[in-house]
């Protein structure tokens, strides 16, 4: 890291500002697949899907954040993520995630049997729960390795 | 004696009013605290998202091939709509009057454009008596918890805008600056336009950092390519991204406006009730003085009568 190119990075949700930091790279789950943004990225707007954000801060630390969807706005030296909801992995609670997951799974199974149920809404809930679980696992792995 | 009785009755009734206004002040203070919390939590998101929308609009109105109906200005404004956010209840000082007169001021600046109102909150109904046309009324819940509540409002606004019923949509609300200061504002919602007249521009929240064209241009220079102007890449495609992002972000704007309005309402109710309580205290002490004077005058008169009677007997 000879040159000190960094990105001003912010994740905000309607509830709070989850993270606001100088970073060197971030991987985000967009609708078309994961993209990694490095400094000097060309301006970009994209839609996020539920998933895991991997952020590398300037002190080479990794941060794991789960999002449930939203938008990303990339400017020359600034990245803003407008998330519907977002949680840092260390703040996630496994019990609640598992409970939410089982609930979402059963809801999805039920929705599959009833044609008039809103399957897409249920699937999104399940995806969000899965994304949180993945974020938690990734974070644990990261901390154990260290 | 009749006079003292009357005064004491008034003192009692004012005392009762004072109890009520004091209770209302306390309730408003508690509600205000909650509302302020909610407003501050969402503000960053709303401001950042509005910035994004303005960037997009700056690009869409440039010479690029990108065009989106929600971002494009119409050649002429045949009709406009104002979403007017007011309170459900009165007893909040000049809160409702201020926002309504602000909206009417903006109408007066463009006398040739007919305007329809979309009301949110019961007190907006006063515009009926001011010979304004009302297109729709939406209920407003006192404790706003979920942005889902604004979905029908924004859906209607977008649909009517796209069907060319309106060529411009504004939102009139009260901006919360501090518990002691609230500013009524009119903001252009549709089309999202960076070139809109300054009077209508503004970021929800802090009037000190309200966005002007200079700021956006500066931001563009700072963050975007200097030579290519506002050039964004869109993934998956511009249409898809804009179709998703703009309604969602407008929703956030209206939601934020509602939160700001709520916080303003409770603060202005609190200060109105505080003043009422103070006025009542003052009145009670003044009346007590009158009461004592009247009582004393009565006693003096009685003594004079008795001594006059005694004197008459002595003679």
């Amino acid at each position: 890291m000879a040159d000190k190119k960094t990105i001003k990075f912010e994740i905000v949700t309607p509830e709070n500002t989850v993270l606001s930091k100088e970073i060197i790279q971030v991987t985000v789950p967009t609708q078309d697949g994961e993209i990694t943004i490095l400094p000097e990225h060309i301006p970009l707007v994209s839609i996020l899907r539920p998933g895991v954000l991997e952020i590398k801060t300037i002190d080479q630390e990794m941060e794991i954040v789960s999002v449930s969807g939203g938008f990303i706005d990339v400017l020359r030296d600034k990245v803003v993520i407008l998330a519907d909801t977002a949680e840092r992995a260390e703040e996630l609670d496994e019990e609640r995630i598992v409970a939410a997951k089982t609930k979402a799974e059963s809801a999805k199974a039920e929705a599959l049997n009833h044609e008039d149920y809103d399957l897409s809404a249920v699937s999104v809930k399940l995806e969000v729960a899965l994304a949180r679980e993945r974020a938690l696992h990734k974070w644990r792995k990261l901390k154990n390795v260290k | 004696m009749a006079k003292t009785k009357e005064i004491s009755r008034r003192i009692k009734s004012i005392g009762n009013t004072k109890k009520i206004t004091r209770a209302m002040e306390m309730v408003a203070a508690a509600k205000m605290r909650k509302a302020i919390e909610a407003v501050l939590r969402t503000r960053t998101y709303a401001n950042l998202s509005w910035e994004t929308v303005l960037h997009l609009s700056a690009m869409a109105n440039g010479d690029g091939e990108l065009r989106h109906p929600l971002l494009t200005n119409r050649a002429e404004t045949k009709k406009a709509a104002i979403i007017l956010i007011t309170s459900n209840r009165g007893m909040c000082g000049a809160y409702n009057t201020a926002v309504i007169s602000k909206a009417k001021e903006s109408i007066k600046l463009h006398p040739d454009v007919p305007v329809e109102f979309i009301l949110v909150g019961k007190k907006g109904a006063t515009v009926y008596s001011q010979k304004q046309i009302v297109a729709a009324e939406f209920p407003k819940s006192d404790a706003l918890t979920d942005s889902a509540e604004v979905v029908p409002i924004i859906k209607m606004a977008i649909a009517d805008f796209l069907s060319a019923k309106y060529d411009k949509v504004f939102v009139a609300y009260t901006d919360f600056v501090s518990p002691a200061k609230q500013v009524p504002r009119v903001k252009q919602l549709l089309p999202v336009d960076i070139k809109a007249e300054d009077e209508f521009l503004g970021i929800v929240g802090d009037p000190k950092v309200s966005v002007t064209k200079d700021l956006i241009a500066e931001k563009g220079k700072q963050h975007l390519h200097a030579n290519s102007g506002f050039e964004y890449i869109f993934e998956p495609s511009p249409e898809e991204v804009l179709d998703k992002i703009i309604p969602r972000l407008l929703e956030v704007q209206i939601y934020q406006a509602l939160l700001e309005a709520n916080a303003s309402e409770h603060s202005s109710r609190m200060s109105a009730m505080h003043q009422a309580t103070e006025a009542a205290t003052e009145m009670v002490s003044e009346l007590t003085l009158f009461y004592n004077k009247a009582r004393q005058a009565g006693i003096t008169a009685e003594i004079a009568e008795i001594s006059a009677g005694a004197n008459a007997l002595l003679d």
Side-chain angles (χ1 to χ4, degrees):
Chain A
M1 279 285 142
D3 57 335
K4 286 210 183 108
K5 287 266 159 63
T6 58
I7 315 172
K8 272 189 218 115
F9 181 77
E10 256 184 296
I11 308 180
V12 289
T13 69
E15 270 78 45
N16 56 356
T17 305
V18 177
L19 198 70
S20 176
K21 255 191 189 157
E22 293 274 320
I23 60 156
I24 37 183
Q25 85 168 63
V26 57
T27 306
V28 290
T30 70
Q31 272 199 336
D32 284 0
E34 286 204 335
I35 55 169
T36 297
I37 292 158
L38 295 166
E40 298 280 295
H41 195 285
I42 194 164
L44 165 105
V45 181
S46 189
I47 307 167
L48 299 183
R49 47 176 296 150
V52 183
L53 284 169
E54 288 174 48
I55 302 147
K56 202 189 238 173
T57 62
I58 32 174
D59 1 295
Q60 302 292 324
E61 292 258 347
M62 288 294 279
E63 289 258 10
I64 307 282
V65 177
S66 76
V67 289
S68 66
F71 309 102
I72 179 166
D73 183 8
V74 181
L75 299 169
R76 195 112 294 255
D77 58 353
K78 191 178 170 195
V79 173
V80 178
I81 292 192
L82 302 166
D84 297 341
T85 66
E87 301 86 16
R88 297 169 72 161
E90 55 260 51
E91 286 160 8
L92 288 170
D93 177 6
E94 181 155 38
E95 267 175 44
R96 280 177 60 193
I97 298 171
V98 171
K101 198 179 107 185
T102 28
K103 202 175 149 198
E105 267 165 357
S106 62
K108 191 177 180 182
E110 202 177 317
L112 281 173
N113 294 332
H114 296 77
E115 286 208 347
D116 50 337
Y117 279 29
D118 189 358
L119 188 61
S120 62
V122 178
S123 316
V124 168
K125 266 194 190 141
L126 184 59
E127 260 182 79
V128 171
L130 285 174
R132 283 184 187 153
E133 198 180 32
R134 269 207 311 280
L136 194 64
H137 288 167
K138 248 183 202 164
W139 186 68
R140 285 214 176 126
K141 216 166 135 194
L142 197 75
K143 293 291 154 182
N144 283 347
V145 166
K146 265 193 177 167
Chain B
M1 259 340 250
K3 207 179 170 197
T4 51
K5 215 171 196 176
E6 206 172 276
I7 294 175
S8 78
R9 204 185 303 133
R10 275 192 71 192
I11 290 176
K12 219 173 169 186
S13 98
I14 291 166
N16 285 339
T17 314
K18 190 175 139 187
K19 272 184 206 154
I20 295 170
T21 55
R22 171 158 300 155
M24 280 181 78
E25 183 192 338
M26 286 198 220
V27 171
K31 282 188 177 168
M32 181 188 81
R33 232 167 288 137
K34 266 192 203 157
I36 290 176
E37 238 171 65
V39 130
L40 294 181
R41 257 181 291 155
T42 327
R43 228 178 230 177
T44 333
Y45 185 89
N47 287 355
L48 283 172
S49 67
W50 188 238
E51 228 172 74
T52 303
V53 169
L54 286 178
H55 283 150
L56 293 174
S57 103
M59 194 176 72
N61 281 312
D63 12 281
E65 70 270 35
L66 181 82
R67 281 272 175 273
H68 193 273
L70 291 177
L71 297 179
T72 317
N73 262 323
R74 308 245 164 95
E76 64 177 319
T77 312
K78 282 186 234 91
K79 205 174 197 184
I82 296 182
I83 301 173
L84 180 65
I85 300 175
T86 54
S87 69
N88 282 337
R89 263 166 268 228
M91 304 281 243
C92 45
Y95 170 78
N96 289 314
T97 339
V99 69
I100 292 172
S101 61
K102 175 84 189 177
K104 289 179 81 184
E105 235 172 70
S106 317
I107 297 173
K108 261 187 213 144
L109 290 177
H110 309 277
D112 42 338
V113 182
V115 173
E116 282 186 8
F117 276 97
I118 296 166
L119 305 179
V120 183
K122 281 181 199 149
K123 285 285 163 183
T126 30
V127 297
Y128 280 116
S129 60
Q130 293 163 347
K131 298 197 179 70
Q132 304 289 347
I133 304 156
V134 175
E137 271 183 63
F138 288 96
K140 190 185 82 152
S141 66
D142 286 328
L144 203 61
T145 48
D146 193 1
S147 61
E149 196 177 316
V150 303
V151 172
I153 305 172
I154 199 73
K155 269 208 174 129
M156 175 184 157
I158 291 177
D160 283 348
F161 179 77
L162 288 179
S163 68
K165 187 176 169 196
Y166 306 126
D167 300 301
K168 268 184 182 157
V169 178
F170 299 95
V171 56
Y173 67 101
T174 314
D175 212 352
F176 176 79
V177 185
S178 74
K181 195 178 176 206
Q182 297 92 36
V183 187
R185 274 167 166 279
V186 176
K187 166 166 165 169
Q188 179 169 334
L189 205 62
L190 284 172
V192 181
D193 183 11
I194 194 165
K195 296 188 197 86
E197 287 154 68
D198 263 341
E199 168 207 349
F200 296 129
L201 255 179
I203 272 202
V204 190
D206 195 349
K208 276 174 245 146
V209 296
S210 69
V211 168
T212 58
K213 280 167 238 167
D214 296 342
L215 188 83
I216 291 285
E218 202 179 294
K219 280 227 153 160
K221 263 186 218 139
Q222 257 175 22
H223 298 301
L224 307 165
H225 246 320
N227 29 13
S228 62
F230 290 87
E231 275 307 325
Y232 265 120
I233 306 178
F234 291 94
E235 270 175 29
S237 72
E239 291 76 26
E240 223 170 298
V241 172
L242 289 178
D243 276 348
K244 264 218 159 133
I245 206 166
I246 294 171
R248 169 78 185 136
L249 295 188
L250 288 176
E251 204 178 279
V252 171
Q253 289 305 309
I254 295 266
Y255 181 57
Q256 180 68 13
L258 270 175
L259 288 175
E260 298 276 350
N262 264 357
S264 304
E265 179 196 334
H266 293 308
S267 350
S268 78
R269 174 166 300 125
M270 190 187 75
S271 53
M273 286 303 109
H274 184 76
Q275 277 166 14
T277 312
E278 259 174 19
T281 315
E282 212 170 278
M283 232 167 154
V284 165
S285 72
E286 207 169 285
L287 282 175
T288 313
L289 195 69
F290 279 144
Y291 172 80
N292 286 337
K293 270 187 188 163
R295 194 175 60 102
Q296 210 168 10
I299 293 167
T300 316
E302 224 166 286
I303 290 173
E305 263 164 42
I306 292 168
S307 60
N311 279 344
L313 281 181
L314 277 181
D315 285 348

